[in-house]
Amino acid sequence: MTTTTARELAEPVEPIDPEITCAEVFDFLLSDGDVLNIPVVDRGRPVGLVNRLDFMLIYVRMYGREVYGRQPITTLMHKAPTIVDASATCEEINARLSALAGSSPLQGFIVVEKGHYIGLGSAAVLMRVMAEINMRRAEELERQRRRAEAASESKTQFLASMSHELRTPLNAIIGFADLMRMELFGKIEPSRYLEYVHDIHGSGVHLLHMINELLDMAKIEAGRFDLHDAEICPLEICEEVTRMLRQSVATARVQLEMRVPGDLPHVMADEQQMRRILVNLLSNAIKFTPAGGKITLSFAERADGGLELAVADTGIGIPADKLEKVLEPFEQVENSFTRTRAGTGLGLPLTKAMVEAHGGRLWIESVLDKGTRVRVTLPAERVLNRTKTDAA
């Protein structure tokens, strides 16, 4: 997009000398009704500006001709006109004119080059040019928006198709590696080969997990994130997930405490997604909590009738300026601890998307080197009435 400068706005209006009388200027303005402004120039340098409206209002008052007629035009000219350099852009000129309090919208501006007069700029022409500039910018922004949407759609389609293409052979690799590590068809010799098979299986499972995350993110961005609601018991799903992660907790040498009341009401939610929300939050806490640290999983009722899930840890924490960033896809807080932890950076963004799909909210509270608490709320409309049981 080309930039319009003051030089292109300058009209070669014939200037007048400071010594010309007001009466002569008055006669000139009467003879030419199209003239709105006249620059006053002394030896090539602008010294003032005569605005038709302002001049006429003063001059035609009673005795105006007798008072001002023989005096030089410097008496009634604007002694501090707006003077802009020829290289100034329309945006710069418009900003200067807009900042002038009390100036007439019809008042023009003088264009100079190296201090010498080259032409007169019109406010009306400037407004027309600014309107054209804004229209071109709006059109360019719209084109960029369409290109960004097309690129995003292409990326989403690519991720979805590549994820499917990769998962098919990867499932076979994991399956055969699993058969081999269980030695169903006989002992593997030498034993070192069995270690390699375990590594192949573990790496395959890790890669499949990353591919699944990419595929899920592609589905979310494409708007194909469906819920399959069913009645869920919060306590049961928490117990199931903590059992699943027992080995990870032991390997990380951290303590996991669960504070979930047995009488919590059931909720209507997608069971698989609720399980993944818990797994993601706990896995993240385990991942970023040093050995000897503590993780707490809690579930409680809220005053508004909803439920709140919280996962708190005594881990590395997150800087305050990074709290929003970690909820964006492919973003991770970088430090010496996180560099040793592999991942796509999709865990928290996916969890946030799953929570919001349920009408809930996820946010993070963290203190660097002290720990992090991730809180998730489920709205009251997803909470079912407690099942009433007969007294024993």
Side-chain angles (χ1 to χ4, degrees):
M1 185 188 300
T2 57
T3 302
T4 304
T5 63
R7 176 183 293 280
E8 297 165 82
L9 298 179
E11 299 175 12
V13 175
E14 187 69 27
I16 59 176
D17 191 88
E19 298 302 319
I20 193 171
T21 66
C22 292
E24 291 174 290
V25 174
F26 179 74
D27 292 338
F28 173 72
L29 291 174
L30 287 181
S31 67
D32 191 342
D34 293 331
V35 176
L36 294 177
N37 297 282
I38 308 173
V40 183
V41 178
D42 184 16
R43 292 189 291 276
R45 296 186 179 275
V47 294
L49 183 69
V50 177
N51 176 257
R52 181 189 193 95
L53 180 61
D54 294 343
F55 176 83
M56 287 297 196
L57 285 174
I58 297 173
Y59 192 79
V60 300
R61 287 176 184 159
M62 186 177 295
Y63 307 119
R65 187 177 188 91
E66 286 74 11
V67 174
Y68 297 109
R70 290 187 178 86
Q71 294 187 29
I73 190 61
T74 53
T75 308
L76 294 182
M77 73 177 185
H78 287 286
K79 295 180 175 61
T82 303
I83 301 174
V84 300
D85 191 83
S87 63
T89 64
C90 285
E91 291 89 341
E92 292 169 339
I93 302 168
N94 188 55
R96 281 190 60 186
L97 293 181
S98 300
L100 294 175
S103 64
S104 168
L106 297 177
Q107 194 173 119
F109 52 92
I110 297 173
V111 182
V112 298
E113 188 170 44
K114 296 181 180 178
H116 288 270
Y117 170 80
I118 64 170
L120 185 65
S122 163
V125 173
L126 175 64
M127 286 189 285
R128 187 182 71 243
V129 172
M130 285 302 300
E132 292 171 355
I133 290 173
N134 289 332
M135 187 177 298
R136 289 198 299 269
R137 282 178 176 168
E139 291 171 352
E140 179 61 24
L141 286 172
E142 180 62 20
R143 283 194 293 271
Q144 290 178 2
R145 185 186 65 80
R146 290 200 196 100
R147 284 198 294 268
E149 286 181 351
S152 178
E153 179 64 22
S154 298
K155 180 200 71 175
T156 299
Q157 294 296 334
F158 172 77
L159 285 175
S161 61
M162 285 303 298
S163 297
H164 283 299
E165 292 294 328
L166 289 169
R167 282 201 303 180
T168 302
L170 191 55
N171 280 325
I173 292 170
I174 294 171
F176 287 128
D178 201 30
L179 287 174
M180 293 171 68
R181 73 189 181 96
M182 290 189 293
E183 299 180 301
L184 292 179
F185 301 109
K187 192 171 181 62
I188 295 178
E189 294 291 348
S191 60
R192 193 163 188 83
Y193 283 136
L194 186 59
E195 295 178 21
Y196 298 155
V197 171
H198 277 280
D199 290 340
I200 292 170
H201 182 269
S203 299
V205 170
H206 177 66
L207 183 56
L208 182 60
H209 175 70
M210 295 174 66
I211 290 171
N212 285 335
E213 286 189 337
L214 288 170
L215 184 58
D216 287 338
M217 185 56 69
K219 286 180 180 178
I220 291 169
E221 292 183 346
R224 297 195 297 267
F225 203 60
D226 300 323
L227 294 178
H228 304 284
D229 287 342
E231 184 176 342
I232 298 172
C233 173
L235 177 60
E236 289 178 2
I237 200 166
C238 287
E239 290 175 339
E240 178 188 345
V241 170
T242 51
R243 282 196 302 271
M244 287 170 52
L245 296 174
R246 189 178 299 155
Q247 185 57 49
S248 298
V249 170
T251 303
R253 290 178 294 156
V254 295
Q255 179 186 350
L256 174 58
E257 180 182 350
M258 189 175 75
R259 300 174 183 171
V260 183
D263 62 346
L264 273 181
H266 291 192
V267 295
M268 285 296 294
D270 186 306
E271 184 174 353
Q272 182 179 355
Q273 289 188 19
M274 288 302 297
R275 187 181 294 108
R276 289 190 62 190
I277 288 170
L278 278 167
V279 169
N280 285 350
L281 293 182
L282 287 172
S283 297
N284 224 44
I286 295 168
K287 184 178 179 181
F288 296 112
T289 301
K294 182 178 180 180
I295 299 167
T296 305
L297 166 63
S298 60
F299 230 126
E301 292 186 74
R302 289 169 54 89
D304 61 5
L307 293 183
E308 180 173 310
L309 160 70
V311 174
D313 63 60
T314 59
I316 60 173
I318 304 170
D321 61 337
K322 303 291 185 184
L323 287 177
E324 293 298 325
K325 191 175 182 181
V326 296
L327 293 174
E328 298 174 8
F330 309 107
E331 294 287 355
Q332 290 180 317
V333 178
E334 187 72 13
N335 60 29
S336 58
F337 190 81
T338 60
R339 276 193 287 271
T340 64
R341 270 61 176 173
T344 60
L346 289 175
L348 280 174
L350 277 172
T351 303
K352 181 173 181 285
M354 287 185 281
V355 169
E356 290 175 349
H358 284 82
R361 177 174 169 247
L362 179 148
W363 71 100
I364 304 173
E365 300 165 347
S366 187
V367 178
L368 197 61
D369 298 325
K370 296 291 184 181
T372 300
R373 179 190 297 270
V374 183
R375 299 170 66 182
V376 170
T377 59
L378 291 176
E381 53 265 28
R382 286 198 167 271
V383 180
L384 303 175
N385 293 328
R386 283 189 178 86
T387 303
K388 295 182 179 180
T389 57
D390 294 330

